[in-house]
Amino acid sequence: MSITICTLWLCLILLVSSTGAATGSQQVNYVTPTSPAGISCPGQPCLTLDQYITSSSTYIISNSVFKLLPGIHHITRSFVARNIECITLEGDIERKSNPQVQISGSRYLWRYLLQFIDTVDVYISGIEQKNVGISLEGTENVTLHRVVVDGPITAVSLLNTIDTNISCCSLKNTGWTALTLRNTYNTSISNTTVNNTGWNGFNLCNSSKTDILHTLLNSTGWHGIELRQTNSTLISYSTVNSTGWNGIEIQQANSTVIYNSTVKNTGWNGIEIRQANFTVISCSTVKSTGWYGIEIFNSSQTTVTCSLVDETGWSGIEISNSTQARVIGTNITNVGWSRLDCRYTDMPCTVEKPPNLNCNCNNKDTCSSEPQNLLPPQAPGSGDETFIDDIVTDSKQVNITTPTSSVYERSQSSTNPTPMMSVIQVTPVPSVGISSPINYLSHRNVILGVSGSVATVMLAFIIVAIVAWIYRKNRNKGKSKSTCHLFV
């Protein structure tokens, strides 16, 4: 029976470890800069970042914290964290701007000098990176907070990621795109600025549930924000300024909301919507565009409400080959051709003004108050998030009601410094002409919760079966005594 008891203990440990119980403590590694030299360390080990990379199997492991001391940390090879859990790179967490910790390296084309692959629980904060990009591939639960990335080909790349939070960051002077998202789920980008990119500011492809809140994208060589084959994207309280092509490009996307945002000084269109479904532009401004203010082509169920389109090189809003497109309570002024240009559509070419319309958008740089009495559909308000330097600490639930009784509900968590926005329910109103709701449903939480429970039950069943087989085998052999050397 003793072998059975030992086996039970072993199985119990395996079961506990499989459910995510942490058994190890964090290893704190102090990182001394390459310049200035000779800085005293508050603890050991204390090596340069290059030295830690050289001994990566010893130091770049699960539950490791790298505390970078003030100065320049020059690296000559990639910092790669692969198949581990819980890793932190921490610089000046107290400073709100101009971090004194800088990671520098050569500007590699097609190579990132900070790479996190198949890694869970990554936290990077208080660091400025010169010519060094960040690559996240197959990661889950990642936070980039108060990180400055200056001068790489691509500042941050996300591929096959889940639950990524980018807050209070600055991405600038990139040769290509500042931030790319590929096959991502549940990404929050808040209080972040982009300046001077050779290509796009944000590029999203095949990504779901992305919130872009309080962002500023300035001087992009191509599009400010590009969405392709995306689902449930919210752009709220954000500004896109000075783009070589379109301010916001939306192609083959579903359920996109642009709320209380500004697009201006674009080389081509302000907002271009192509082959997209369920797009809402509400309480927003499109100004000074080289061609159309808003172009809607081959799309369905697009609503522009309570917005301003001003100073366009061609038509204010162009709608072609589209169904159920509505323009409601929107001012279109100073256009080069026509206010509305409608071709091959099922809608009247007019701006509707329902009698119960009350456009109270509270268009401010920060969300000090919640907008009220907006004609749906519209995005939820952005709550109490403030710009760049402040962090939300309160918790509340906000309900926005309209004269036609659409309800948007959102909950904020006080444990998340940059709360993600999630619409629980949107009830469409027939008078607005929207026949399907726009959903921001947290499907993944439900799916992972069920699959996690099923996996735990199956694992427990397998363990019990193994224990029973071992017990039966020992009993059949008639052994009365056995020795276990696993636990001494």
Side-chain angles (χ1 to χ4, degrees):
M1 287 297 294
S2 59
I3 187 172
T4 303
I5 294 173
C6 287
T7 305
L8 285 172
W9 273 105
L10 177 60
C11 292
L12 179 61
I13 291 175
L14 289 174
L15 181 60
V16 171
S17 63
S18 68
T19 57
T23 58
S25 58
Q26 287 188 328
Q27 170 63 43
V28 178
N29 306 301
Y30 293 95
V31 186
T32 185
T34 53
S35 176
I39 292 182
S40 61
C41 286
Q44 295 294 328
C46 186
L47 306 174
T48 66
L49 200 54
D50 253 354
Q51 289 173 326
Y52 282 118
I53 294 171
T54 301
S55 304
S56 59
S57 59
T58 302
Y59 295 108
I60 306 179
I61 57 177
S62 295
N63 298 311
S64 57
V65 178
F66 293 87
K67 291 184 176 291
L68 285 79
L69 303 179
I72 298 175
H73 300 258
H74 187 79
I75 57 178
T76 59
R77 66 201 79 185
S78 294
F79 180 100
V80 181
R82 186 190 300 268
N83 295 317
I84 63 176
E85 297 182 4
C86 195
I87 182 169
T88 297
L89 272 71
E90 186 177 272
D92 299 320
I93 60 174
E94 299 298 329
R95 293 177 64 88
K96 295 185 176 182
S97 61
N98 300 321
Q100 290 183 330
V101 172
Q102 182 186 110
I103 299 177
S104 68
S106 302
R107 183 169 177 165
Y108 285 31
L109 183 69
W110 307 120
R111 182 179 179 183
Y112 298 93
L113 292 184
L114 292 183
Q115 300 181 50
F116 300 86
I117 304 170
D118 298 329
T119 299
V120 179
D121 296 331
V122 179
Y123 184 80
I124 305 174
S125 69
I127 295 171
E128 179 180 3
Q129 300 177 192
K130 298 285 288 185
N131 302 325
V132 179
I134 300 174
S135 173
L136 303 168
E137 181 177 347
T139 60
E140 183 173 357
N141 192 24
V142 175
T143 296
L144 305 181
H145 183 62
R146 302 194 191 286
V147 174
V148 178
V149 184
D150 184 358
I153 298 300
T154 297
V156 180
S157 173
L158 277 63
L159 174 64
N160 299 325
T161 64
I162 298 175
D163 298 341
T164 304
N165 192 333
I166 300 173
S167 63
C168 304
C169 294
S170 175
L171 315 176
K172 55 187 177 181
N173 303 320
T174 59
W176 208 338
T177 297
L179 173 62
T180 65
L181 282 73
R182 296 287 186 275
N183 303 319
T184 65
Y185 180 84
N186 199 19
T187 304
S188 174
I189 308 162
S190 63
N191 301 318
T192 290
T193 61
V194 170
N195 278 289
N196 191 26
T197 68
W199 198 250
N200 297 321
F202 298 155
N203 182 274
L204 285 68
C205 181
N206 197 26
S207 296
S208 298
K209 199 175 183 301
T210 306
D211 293 342
I212 301 173
L213 317 173
H214 287 278
T215 59
L216 170 63
L217 298 98
N218 185 62
S219 188
T220 62
W222 198 246
H223 304 308
I225 299 174
E226 182 178 21
L227 310 178
R228 289 181 180 269
Q229 299 176 332
T230 59
N231 292 287
S232 298
T233 303
L234 170 64
I235 303 171
S236 178
Y237 285 86
S238 295
T239 297
V240 177
N241 176 50
S242 187
T243 65
W245 201 250
N246 298 321
I248 299 176
E249 167 89 0
I250 302 171
Q251 285 207 30
Q252 299 177 328
N254 296 311
S255 299
T256 304
V257 175
I258 301 171
Y259 175 72
N260 220 327
S261 295
T262 299
V263 177
K264 59 184 179 180
N265 301 319
T266 64
W268 198 248
N269 300 320
I271 300 173
E272 182 173 292
I273 303 168
R274 286 181 169 267
Q275 299 176 321
N277 304 309
F278 306 111
T279 304
V280 177
I281 302 171
S282 179
C283 284
S284 295
T285 298
V286 178
K287 185 179 179 66
S288 300
T289 64
W291 200 246
Y292 299 119
I294 301 172
E295 182 185 23
I296 304 168
F297 174 78
N298 199 19
S299 298
S300 65
Q301 304 204 57
T302 305
T303 299
V304 181
T305 180
C306 292
S307 294
L308 169 66
V309 178
D310 185 34
E311 297 179 8
T312 64
W314 200 246
S315 298
I317 299 178
E318 196 263 355
I319 306 172
S320 61
N321 297 88
S322 297
T323 60
Q324 298 189 54
R326 311 292 291 272
V327 181
I328 305 169
T330 293
N331 293 325
I332 306 173
T333 58
N334 301 316
V335 298
W337 183 248
S338 62
R339 296 174 68 243
L340 274 175
D341 186 3
C342 304
R343 290 169 289 175
Y344 312 109
T345 68
D346 62 348
M347 62 159 285
C349 202
T350 60
V351 178
E352 302 176 44
K353 293 185 177 180
N356 62 351
L357 180 64
N358 181 9
C359 292
N360 180 20
C361 292
N362 292 323
N363 194 357
K364 299 179 180 179
D365 291 336
T366 58
C367 302
S368 57
S369 60
E370 294 288 350
Q372 300 290 335
N373 300 323
L374 299 175
L375 188 72
Q378 75 225 26
S382 292
D384 293 332
E385 301 94 337
T386 55
F387 191 67
I388 298 299
D389 281 337
D390 295 324
I391 299 175
V392 178
T393 56
D394 66 331
S395 177
K396 69 177 182 177
Q397 185 175 35
V398 178
N399 294 324
I400 300 177
T401 60
T402 73
T404 45
S405 300
S406 260
V407 177
Y408 293 78
E409 297 176 348
R410 175 174 65 91
S411 61
Q412 291 183 181
S413 171
S414 60
T415 61
N416 191 342
T418 53
M420 298 182 186
M421 195 169 295
S422 178
V423 175
I424 299 173
Q425 178 183 6
V426 176
T427 305
V429 180
S431 62
V432 183
I434 299 297
S435 59
S436 298
I438 297 174
N439 295 317
Y440 288 80
L441 301 177
S442 299
H443 295 297
R444 176 186 166 276
N445 294 335
V446 176
I447 293 172
L448 289 187
V450 173
S451 62
S453 300
V454 171
T456 302
V457 172
M458 291 180 63
L459 180 61
F461 177 80
I462 292 171
I463 291 174
V464 170
I466 293 173
V467 172
W469 178 79
I470 294 173
Y471 175 74
R472 185 182 304 171
K473 182 179 179 180
N474 291 332
R475 185 182 61 181
N476 291 338
K477 287 183 179 181
K479 292 183 178 182
S480 57
K481 294 184 179 180
S482 60
T483 305
C484 177
H485 299 286
L486 293 177
F487 304 98
V488 180

